[in-house]
PDB file of all heavy atoms in Angstrom:
ATOM      1  N   GLU A 432     129.916 100.599  69.651  1.00 96.00           N
ATOM      2  CA  GLU A 432     129.008 101.452  70.421  1.00 96.00           C
ATOM      3  C   GLU A 432     128.239 100.666  71.467  1.00 96.00           C
ATOM      4  O   GLU A 432     127.902 101.189  72.532  1.00 96.00           O
ATOM      5  CB  GLU A 432     128.046 102.175  69.482  1.00 96.00           C
ATOM      6  CG  GLU A 432     128.719 103.230  68.623  1.00 96.00           C
ATOM      7  CD  GLU A 432     127.716 104.099  67.875  1.00 96.00           C
ATOM      8  OE1 GLU A 432     126.510 104.065  68.215  1.00 96.00           O
ATOM      9  OE2 GLU A 432     128.147 104.828  66.954  1.00 96.00           O
ATOM     10  N   ALA A 433     127.923  99.398  71.170  1.00 97.00           N
ATOM     11  CA  ALA A 433     127.161  98.601  72.127  1.00 97.00           C
ATOM     12  C   ALA A 433     127.998  98.211  73.339  1.00 97.00           C
ATOM     13  O   ALA A 433     127.482  98.128  74.462  1.00 97.00           O
ATOM     14  CB  ALA A 433     126.621  97.344  71.447  1.00 97.00           C
ATOM     15  N   GLU A 434     129.287  97.980  73.140  1.00 97.00           N
ATOM     16  CA  GLU A 434     130.118  97.440  74.219  1.00 97.00           C
ATOM     17  C   GLU A 434     130.177  98.334  75.459  1.00 97.00           C
ATOM     18  O   GLU A 434     129.958  97.842  76.575  1.00 97.00           O
ATOM     19  CB  GLU A 434     131.527  97.151  73.703  1.00 97.00           C
ATOM     20  CG  GLU A 434     132.420  96.525  74.767  1.00 97.00           C
ATOM     21  CD  GLU A 434     133.752  96.062  74.217  1.00 97.00           C
ATOM     22  OE1 GLU A 434     133.915  95.997  72.984  1.00 97.00           O
ATOM     23  OE2 GLU A 434     134.646  95.755  75.040  1.00 97.00           O
ATOM     24  N   PRO A 435     130.460  99.634  75.346  1.00 96.00           N
ATOM     25  CA  PRO A 435     130.506 100.441  76.574  1.00 96.00           C
ATOM     26  C   PRO A 435     129.156 100.535  77.288  1.00 96.00           C
ATOM     27  O   PRO A 435     129.107 100.591  78.521  1.00 96.00           O
ATOM     28  CB  PRO A 435     130.989 101.818  76.087  1.00 96.00           C
ATOM     29  CG  PRO A 435     130.757 101.824  74.616  1.00 96.00           C
ATOM     30  CD  PRO A 435     130.868 100.416  74.160  1.00 96.00           C
ATOM     31  N   MET A 436     128.075 100.547  76.541  1.00 97.00           N
ATOM     32  CA  MET A 436     126.757 100.578  77.171  1.00 97.00           C
ATOM     33  C   MET A 436     126.486  99.276  77.918  1.00 97.00           C
ATOM     34  O   MET A 436     125.986  99.272  79.048  1.00 97.00           O
ATOM     35  CB  MET A 436     125.685 100.821  76.122  1.00 97.00           C
ATOM     36  CG  MET A 436     124.291 100.994  76.668  1.00 97.00           C
ATOM     37  SD  MET A 436     123.158 101.432  75.335  1.00 97.00           S
ATOM     38  CE  MET A 436     121.648 101.635  76.264  1.00 97.00           C
ATOM     39  N   LEU A 437     126.844  98.177  77.302  1.00 97.00           N
ATOM     40  CA  LEU A 437     126.683  96.872  77.917  1.00 97.00           C
ATOM     41  C   LEU A 437     127.484  96.794  79.213  1.00 97.00           C
ATOM     42  O   LEU A 437     126.984  96.349  80.262  1.00 97.00           O
ATOM     43  CB  LEU A 437     127.140  95.813  76.916  1.00 97.00           C
ATOM     44  CG  LEU A 437     126.910  94.345  77.198  1.00 97.00           C
ATOM     45  CD1 LEU A 437     125.425  94.045  77.309  1.00 97.00           C
ATOM     46  CD2 LEU A 437     127.526  93.516  76.080  1.00 97.00           C
ATOM     47  N   LYS A 438     128.721  97.240  79.181  1.00 97.00           N
ATOM     48  CA  LYS A 438     129.576  97.185  80.360  1.00 97.00           C
ATOM     49  C   LYS A 438     129.103  98.146  81.453  1.00 97.00           C
ATOM     50  O   LYS A 438     129.180  97.837  82.641  1.00 97.00           O
ATOM     51  CB  LYS A 438     131.015  97.495  79.970  1.00 97.00           C
ATOM     52  CG  LYS A 438     131.678  96.389  79.156  1.00 97.00           C
ATOM     53  CD  LYS A 438     133.108  96.762  78.783  1.00 97.00           C
ATOM     54  CE  LYS A 438     133.830  95.604  78.113  1.00 97.00           C
ATOM     55  NZ  LYS A 438     135.229  95.967  77.737  1.00 97.00           N
ATOM     56  N   ARG A 439     128.597  99.306  81.033  1.00 97.00           N
ATOM     57  CA  ARG A 439     128.159 100.300  82.026  1.00 97.00           C
ATOM     58  C   ARG A 439     126.941  99.838  82.807  1.00 97.00           C
ATOM     59  O   ARG A 439     126.804 100.146  83.991  1.00 97.00           O
ATOM     60  CB  ARG A 439     127.850 101.623  81.314  1.00 97.00           C
ATOM     61  CG  ARG A 439     127.309 102.710  82.246  1.00 97.00           C
ATOM     62  CD  ARG A 439     127.204 104.052  81.558  1.00 97.00           C
ATOM     63  NE  ARG A 439     126.088 104.183  80.666  1.00 97.00           N
ATOM     64  CZ  ARG A 439     124.886 104.667  81.019  1.00 97.00           C
ATOM     65  NH1 ARG A 439     124.645 105.013  82.268  1.00 97.00           N
ATOM     66  NH2 ARG A 439     123.932 104.777  80.120  1.00 97.00           N
ATOM     67  N   LEU A 440     126.060  99.080  82.156  1.00 98.00           N
ATOM     68  CA  LEU A 440     124.760  98.822  82.766  1.00 98.00           C
ATOM     69  C   LEU A 440     124.550  97.398  83.262  1.00 98.00           C
ATOM     70  O   LEU A 440     123.596  97.141  83.993  1.00 98.00           O
ATOM     71  CB  LEU A 440     123.657  99.153  81.751  1.00 98.00           C
ATOM     72  CG  LEU A 440     123.572 100.609  81.279  1.00 98.00           C
ATOM     73  CD1 LEU A 440     122.470 100.756  80.253  1.00 98.00           C
ATOM     74  CD2 LEU A 440     123.378 101.556  82.443  1.00 98.00           C
ATOM     75  N   LYS A 441     125.414  96.468  82.908  1.00 97.00           N
ATOM     76  CA  LYS A 441     125.069  95.067  83.132  1.00 97.00           C
ATOM     77  C   LYS A 441     125.018  94.662  84.599  1.00 97.00           C
ATOM     78  O   LYS A 441     124.472  93.609  84.928  1.00 97.00           O
ATOM     79  CB  LYS A 441     126.024  94.152  82.368  1.00 97.00           C
ATOM     80  CG  LYS A 441     127.446  94.092  82.923  1.00 97.00           C
ATOM     81  CD  LYS A 441     128.243  93.028  82.160  1.00 97.00           C
ATOM     82  CE  LYS A 441     129.599  92.802  82.797  1.00 97.00           C
ATOM     83  NZ  LYS A 441     130.306  91.674  82.166  1.00 97.00           N
ATOM     84  N   HIS A 442     125.552  95.473  85.498  1.00 98.00           N
ATOM     85  CA  HIS A 442     125.483  95.106  86.923  1.00 98.00           C
ATOM     86  C   HIS A 442     124.115  95.370  87.538  1.00 98.00           C
ATOM     87  O   HIS A 442     123.851  94.939  88.663  1.00 98.00           O
ATOM     88  CB  HIS A 442     126.551  95.855  87.723  1.00 98.00           C
ATOM     89  CG  HIS A 442     126.358  97.339  87.783  1.00 98.00           C
ATOM     90  ND1 HIS A 442     126.781  98.183  86.785  1.00 98.00           N
ATOM     91  CD2 HIS A 442     125.786  98.139  88.711  1.00 98.00           C
ATOM     92  CE1 HIS A 442     126.489  99.431  87.103  1.00 98.00           C
ATOM     93  NE2 HIS A 442     125.877  99.434  88.261  1.00 98.00           N
ATOM     94  N   HIS A 443     123.235  96.049  86.817  1.00 98.00           N
ATOM     95  CA  HIS A 443     121.938  96.406  87.396  1.00 98.00           C
ATOM     96  C   HIS A 443     120.986  95.210  87.378  1.00 98.00           C
ATOM     97  O   HIS A 443     120.703  94.650  86.307  1.00 98.00           O
ATOM     98  CB  HIS A 443     121.319  97.575  86.636  1.00 98.00           C
ATOM     99  CG  HIS A 443     122.020  98.869  86.867  1.00 98.00           C
ATOM    100  ND1 HIS A 443     121.910  99.570  88.044  1.00 98.00           N
ATOM    101  CD2 HIS A 443     122.861  99.577  86.068  1.00 98.00           C
ATOM    102  CE1 HIS A 443     122.645 100.679  87.971  1.00 98.00           C
ATOM    103  NE2 HIS A 443     123.234 100.702  86.791  1.00 98.00           N
ATOM    104  N   PRO A 444     120.450  94.820  88.525  1.00 98.00           N
ATOM    105  CA  PRO A 444     119.529  93.674  88.552  1.00 98.00           C
ATOM    106  C   PRO A 444     118.237  93.924  87.807  1.00 98.00           C
ATOM    107  O   PRO A 444     117.558  92.982  87.396  1.00 98.00           O
ATOM    108  CB  PRO A 444     119.280  93.455  90.045  1.00 98.00           C
ATOM    109  CG  PRO A 444     119.561  94.780  90.689  1.00 98.00           C
ATOM    110  CD  PRO A 444     120.673  95.379  89.874  1.00 98.00           C
ATOM    111  N   ALA A 445     117.855  95.186  87.607  1.00 98.00           N
ATOM    112  CA  ALA A 445     116.582  95.488  86.952  1.00 98.00           C
ATOM    113  C   ALA A 445     116.577  95.081  85.483  1.00 98.00           C
ATOM    114  O   ALA A 445     115.530  94.746  84.928  1.00 98.00           O
ATOM    115  CB  ALA A 445     116.265  96.977  87.081  1.00 98.00           C
ATOM    116  N   ILE A 446     117.724  95.110  84.820  1.00 98.00           N
ATOM    117  CA  ILE A 446     117.764  94.833  83.383  1.00 98.00           C
ATOM    118  C   ILE A 446     117.576  93.337  83.161  1.00 98.00           C
ATOM    119  O   ILE A 446     118.294  92.520  83.731  1.00 98.00           O
ATOM    120  CB  ILE A 446     119.080  95.322  82.769  1.00 98.00           C
ATOM    121  CG1 ILE A 446     119.180  96.848  82.886  1.00 98.00           C
ATOM    122  CG2 ILE A 446     119.189  94.898  81.307  1.00 98.00           C
ATOM    123  CD1 ILE A 446     120.495  97.423  82.398  1.00 98.00           C
ATOM    124  N   PHE A 447     116.616  92.987  82.300  1.00 98.00           N
ATOM    125  CA  PHE A 447     116.371  91.577  82.004  1.00 98.00           C
ATOM    126  C   PHE A 447     116.587  91.243  80.537  1.00 98.00           C
ATOM    127  O   PHE A 447     116.640  90.070  80.168  1.00 98.00           O
ATOM    128  CB  PHE A 447     114.951  91.165  82.421  1.00 98.00           C
ATOM    129  CG  PHE A 447     113.862  91.667  81.518  1.00 98.00           C
ATOM    130  CD1 PHE A 447     113.375  90.907  80.462  1.00 98.00           C
ATOM    131  CD2 PHE A 447     113.286  92.925  81.735  1.00 98.00           C
ATOM    132  CE1 PHE A 447     112.366  91.366  79.630  1.00 98.00           C
ATOM    133  CE2 PHE A 447     112.282  93.398  80.910  1.00 98.00           C
ATOM    134  CZ  PHE A 447     111.811  92.612  79.848  1.00 98.00           C
ATOM    135  N   ALA A 448     116.703  92.261  79.661  1.00 98.00           N
ATOM    136  CA  ALA A 448     116.830  91.968  78.232  1.00 98.00           C
ATOM    137  C   ALA A 448     117.527  93.116  77.529  1.00 98.00           C
ATOM    138  O   ALA A 448     117.424  94.283  77.941  1.00 98.00           O
ATOM    139  CB  ALA A 448     115.455  91.729  77.606  1.00 98.00           C
ATOM    140  N   TRP A 449     118.234  92.766  76.444  1.00 98.00           N
ATOM    141  CA  TRP A 449     118.846  93.733  75.540  1.00 98.00           C
ATOM    142  C   TRP A 449     118.182  93.618  74.165  1.00 98.00           C
ATOM    143  O   TRP A 449     117.747  92.538  73.771  1.00 98.00           O
ATOM    144  CB  TRP A 449     120.339  93.451  75.368  1.00 98.00           C
ATOM    145  CG  TRP A 449     121.147  93.483  76.616  1.00 98.00           C
ATOM    146  CD1 TRP A 449     121.587  92.404  77.337  1.00 98.00           C
ATOM    147  CD2 TRP A 449     121.643  94.639  77.297  1.00 98.00           C
ATOM    148  NE1 TRP A 449     122.317  92.818  78.420  1.00 98.00           N
ATOM    149  CE2 TRP A 449     122.371  94.191  78.429  1.00 98.00           C
ATOM    150  CE3 TRP A 449     121.546  96.011  77.065  1.00 98.00           C
ATOM    151  CZ2 TRP A 449     122.994  95.057  79.312  1.00 98.00           C
ATOM    152  CZ3 TRP A 449     122.162  96.879  77.959  1.00 98.00           C
ATOM    153  CH2 TRP A 449     122.877  96.404  79.054  1.00 98.00           C
ATOM    154  N   CYS A 450     118.152  94.741  73.448  1.00 98.00           N
ATOM    155  CA  CYS A 450     117.562  94.741  72.104  1.00 98.00           C
ATOM    156  C   CYS A 450     118.405  95.614  71.193  1.00 98.00           C
ATOM    157  O   CYS A 450     118.832  96.714  71.581  1.00 98.00           O
ATOM    158  CB  CYS A 450     116.128  95.252  72.151  1.00 98.00           C
ATOM    159  SG  CYS A 450     115.301  95.243  70.548  1.00 98.00           S
ATOM    160  N   GLY A 451     118.625  95.124  69.961  1.00 97.00           N
ATOM    161  CA  GLY A 451     119.524  95.811  69.051  1.00 97.00           C
ATOM    162  C   GLY A 451     119.010  97.144  68.541  1.00 97.00           C
ATOM    163  O   GLY A 451     119.769  98.106  68.445  1.00 97.00           O
ATOM    164  N   ILE A 452     117.709  97.234  68.212  1.00 96.00           N
ATOM    165  CA  ILE A 452     117.204  98.459  67.591  1.00 96.00           C
ATOM    166  C   ILE A 452     115.684  98.415  67.606  1.00 96.00           C
ATOM    167  O   ILE A 452     115.073  97.354  67.776  1.00 96.00           O
ATOM    168  CB  ILE A 452     117.731  98.596  66.142  1.00 96.00           C
ATOM    169  CG1 ILE A 452     117.625 100.040  65.634  1.00 96.00           C
ATOM    170  CG2 ILE A 452     117.028  97.611  65.210  1.00 96.00           C
ATOM    171  CD1 ILE A 452     118.394 100.281  64.338  1.00 96.00           C
ATOM    172  N   ASN A 453     115.074  99.574  67.412  1.00 95.00           N
ATOM    173  CA  ASN A 453     113.618  99.686  67.389  1.00 95.00           C
ATOM    174  C   ASN A 453     113.084  99.592  65.959  1.00 95.00           C
ATOM    175  O   ASN A 453     113.447 100.407  65.098  1.00 95.00           O
ATOM    176  CB  ASN A 453     113.180 101.021  68.005  1.00 95.00           C
ATOM    177  CG  ASN A 453     111.671 101.213  67.954  1.00 95.00           C
ATOM    178  OD1 ASN A 453     110.932 100.490  68.592  1.00 95.00           O
ATOM    179  ND2 ASN A 453     111.221 102.185  67.163  1.00 95.00           N
TER     180      ASN A 453
END
Side-chain angles (χ1 to χ4, degrees):
E432 291 190 14
E434 183 172 347
M436 185 175 182
L437 189 62
K438 289 179 173 180
R439 177 172 77 92
L440 298 178
K441 71 174 188 173
H442 66 277
H443 289 286
I446 296 176
F447 74 93
W449 301 101
C450 182
I452 199 168
N453 178 66

